[in-house]
Amino acid sequence: MERLKGTSIYDYLVILISVAIAAAMTIVFFRMRTSGAEYAGVAVNGEMQKELLLSKDYLLELDSMNIEVKNGRIRITSSECPRKICVESGWISSPGQSLICIPNRTVVFIRGHEKDKIYDAVTY
Amino acid sequence: MMQLHINVRKCVAAACFLCFTLLTVSCRRPVSEKYAEKSRFLMGTYCTVKVYTLYNPEEAAAAAMFRMHEVYEKFNHLNEGSPVYGFNNYGYPVEDEEVAALAEKSGKINAITGGAFDITVYPLLELWGFNNSPVEVPPDRKEIKKALRRVGADKIKITGNRIVKKKDDVKITFGSIAKGYAVDEAARVLKQKGVSGALIDAGGDIYVFGEKPGGKWRVGVRHPRGGGISYVIKASDAAVATSGDYENYFLKGGKRYHHIFDPGTGYPSSGTASVTVIAPDAMTADAYSTAFFVMGPEEAIALAEKMEGVECLIVTPCLNEFRSGGFNFYLQ
């Protein structure tokens, strides 16, 4: 390749390194922003009890309820609360979704990036 | 020896500028605006405050949550320190400007809705076991008739800051309006603190103002059967509230008995499974979601069409839907 007038091999090396750094930072930046639902959190009385990987099937037994992770989803399978609203809510799997048991003061929620959430809150 | 020329320095500078731009390009807000989110069990439900602001969002969110707690403590008929508890259980007049003002507003909604919204329905809640003492057996007709004699907006008198009983055994509950009022108060606190965008969620009674990065706030509407989401409402500067027969009910003989009573009959209202109301403020959304539930789809839609800034979606137990004319404007 014919060199540009006034440039040396080292100039091209610096240009190459600069572009590589810019490209690498771009890739890292967009990868950070595209993380989906990987974890679910379980909190009781506002305190985190457990963080569960949604990719791994799991059965969690708490004092007052049982929670199941299966096929990338999570649900409350049984609860000692009187009305079982949390159980009847079924499976959740998307960032921003949550299962709430008010009598047991327990929240099961899906972690995820803001851009992956379908909604910011639910009216019910 | 390596020699650097001026045009190479420009390449390095351009690469650095490119990196900086990529890191900030997706954010529509100023880089310096901060976010905080607080959640806690409050008002007998789960409440969340999400705040975007330049200054101290944690403090703003905490202040909003505290204000909701204050409102709840005052209006909670089960709290022995509340003026409402004293009124209900000992006949003490309520002498509180805030409580009297909300009672006054409730009276106006009662008149507008033909009695469908009524804060004196507490004897029915007690009788049917929806006041924290579950019964799960329908009472007989005589008991319901007896309780109905204690229900009616004409059985209390509101004068200035004072509420008195006109009938000794009347009892009141702000359960269908106080949560919405608490949300409005939380929003007022946040706006006073200069918050530019926020979402306040008190167990499904929601108010949003401003926007979040990416645009308007999105509120999912729960399907009345099955627990999924039927619709997503996009809004800023609006309140959304839902009344439904699926959260607080018992089943007996294959029939569902829920907690939203028709003050005229003494029985849980029939013909509606859920009502979602969009309104300019949360108190209005909260109260009218109950009123429209009791009124039924036809009357409710007719009234909503006359009310500025109010839209509603009504779903029947057979999953038929009725919407006011402007409701679809809010859907994604």
Side-chain angles (χ1 to χ4, degrees):
Chain A
M1 189 179 81
E2 198 177 321
R3 281 184 200 167
L4 293 171
K5 192 177 175 184
T7 57
S8 70
I9 191 77
Y10 299 106
D11 294 331
Y12 287 112
L13 198 59
V14 171
I15 292 169
L16 188 67
I17 291 170
S18 303
V19 170
I21 291 171
M25 290 184 75
T26 306
I27 290 166
V28 168
F29 171 68
F30 279 107
R31 282 195 70 173
M32 279 167 61
R33 294 192 66 219
T34 54
S35 57
E38 293 181 7
Y39 292 93
V42 180
V44 179
N45 268 325
E47 297 204 4
M48 277 296 289
Q49 300 296 307
K50 195 89 177 174
E51 198 161 73
L52 301 167
L53 200 56
L54 287 174
S55 57
K56 191 174 171 186
D57 292 356
Y58 192 82
L59 281 171
L60 175 67
E61 290 183 11
L62 299 177
D63 289 339
S64 56
M65 63 171 56
N66 293 329
I67 296 168
E68 180 185 17
V69 176
K70 191 169 183 178
N71 297 333
R73 306 180 299 170
I74 188 167
R75 66 170 177 169
I76 296 171
T77 58
S78 64
S79 172
E80 290 177 1
C81 59
R83 299 209 187 273
K84 320 284 184 214
I85 295 168
C86 55
V87 177
E88 287 173 16
S89 296
W91 297 99
I92 57 171
S93 57
S94 301
Q97 286 185 302
S98 60
L99 301 167
I100 299 168
C101 182
I102 292 167
N104 290 316
R105 300 176 79 83
T106 301
V107 182
V108 178
F109 58 95
I110 306 283
R111 290 195 185 283
H113 198 277
E114 188 64 31
K115 71 176 275 296
D116 296 320
K117 291 181 182 176
I118 304 164
Y119 42 76
D120 302 300
V122 176
T123 183
Y124 56 92
Chain B
M1 184 176 159
M2 190 170 75
Q3 291 183 348
L4 288 175
H5 299 270
I6 291 175
N7 56 353
V8 174
R9 285 195 211 112
K10 282 183 183 172
C11 286
V12 172
C16 292
F17 178 74
L18 177 67
C19 296
F20 177 77
T21 304
L22 284 168
L23 284 168
T24 57
V25 73
S26 68
C27 188
R28 288 173 55 176
R29 291 182 174 275
V31 174
S32 54
E33 197 157 62
K34 298 166 198 156
Y35 173 76
E37 179 174 332
K38 283 211 179 297
S39 294
R40 60 175 282 198
F41 287 96
L42 188 62
M43 299 195 285
T45 187
Y46 191 64
C47 298
T48 298
V49 176
K50 300 183 178 185
V51 171
Y52 285 96
T53 183
L54 289 172
Y55 308 109
N56 209 341
E58 293 276 342
E59 190 262 333
M65 201 62 91
F66 180 75
R67 182 60 189 135
M68 286 202 282
H69 169 73
E70 276 187 329
V71 169
Y72 179 63
E73 289 298 293
K74 182 179 277 193
F75 286 92
N76 180 11
H77 55 258
L78 297 175
N79 173 19
E80 289 184 19
S82 148
V84 181
Y85 184 91
F87 178 89
N88 283 347
N89 296 285
Y90 303 109
Y92 299 152
V94 170
E95 287 176 325
D96 184 287
E97 184 182 351
E98 197 174 22
V99 178
L102 198 63
E104 184 80 42
K105 285 174 187 166
S106 300
K108 286 181 180 162
I109 298 171
N110 175 273
I112 291 167
T113 61
F117 180 83
D118 194 330
I119 61 172
T120 66
V121 294
Y122 191 58
L124 292 174
L125 289 174
E126 278 185 317
L127 179 65
W128 286 82
F130 288 108
N131 65 328
N132 259 24
S133 306
V135 171
E136 309 231 339
V137 175
D140 65 37
R141 284 177 189 271
K142 273 189 186 168
E143 290 178 301
I144 295 169
K145 210 170 167 181
K146 198 172 160 189
L148 270 179
R149 285 198 281 269
R150 300 161 61 193
V151 174
D154 58 330
K155 294 174 176 63
I156 62 173
K157 185 177 174 184
I158 306 161
T159 316
N161 296 343
R162 198 172 150 94
I163 309 172
V164 296
K165 295 189 182 190
K166 288 170 77 176
K167 192 170 165 28
D168 284 343
D169 50 5
V170 70
K171 287 186 176 181
I172 59 177
T173 172
F174 289 93
S176 297
I177 193 169
K179 229 174 21 162
Y181 174 67
V183 168
D184 288 336
E185 282 293 291
R188 184 180 61 78
V189 165
L190 291 176
K191 288 175 182 176
Q192 273 177 352
K193 290 188 175 295
V195 169
S196 55
L199 177 147
I200 304 154
D201 175 4
D205 283 9
I206 294 162
Y207 180 73
V208 297
F209 67 86
E211 291 190 355
K212 62 184 186 80
K216 293 183 178 181
W217 297 96
R218 296 159 302 175
V219 176
V221 179
R222 184 176 154 179
H223 192 283
R225 302 286 184 263
I229 300 297
S230 308
Y231 300 104
V232 178
I233 290 167
K234 270 175 94 170
S236 62
D237 303 309
V240 187
T242 296
S243 287
D245 68 354
Y246 44 83
E247 285 271 306
N248 200 1
Y249 70 95
F250 62 87
L251 292 170
K252 192 74 181 175
K255 191 170 172 175
R256 183 187 297 250
Y257 298 94
H258 60 79
H259 70 295
I260 304 171
F261 291 95
D262 183 335
T265 66
Y267 285 84
S269 300
S270 60
T272 310
S274 76
V275 174
T276 298
V277 171
I278 303 171
D281 62 87
M283 186 210 74
T284 301
D286 192 5
Y288 279 94
S289 70
T290 297
F292 288 166
F293 192 105
V294 173
M295 290 166 74
E298 280 183 31
E299 273 189 51
I301 296 291
L303 178 56
E305 296 291 10
K306 294 178 191 168
M307 297 176 69
E308 192 170 338
V310 172
E311 305 293 342
C312 68
L313 166 72
I314 300 174
V315 185
T316 68
C318 300
L319 303 183
N320 292 324
E321 290 186 3
F322 298 81
R323 303 178 196 193
S324 59
F327 187 84
N328 286 356
F329 171 78
Y330 290 93
L331 298 182
Q332 288 194 130

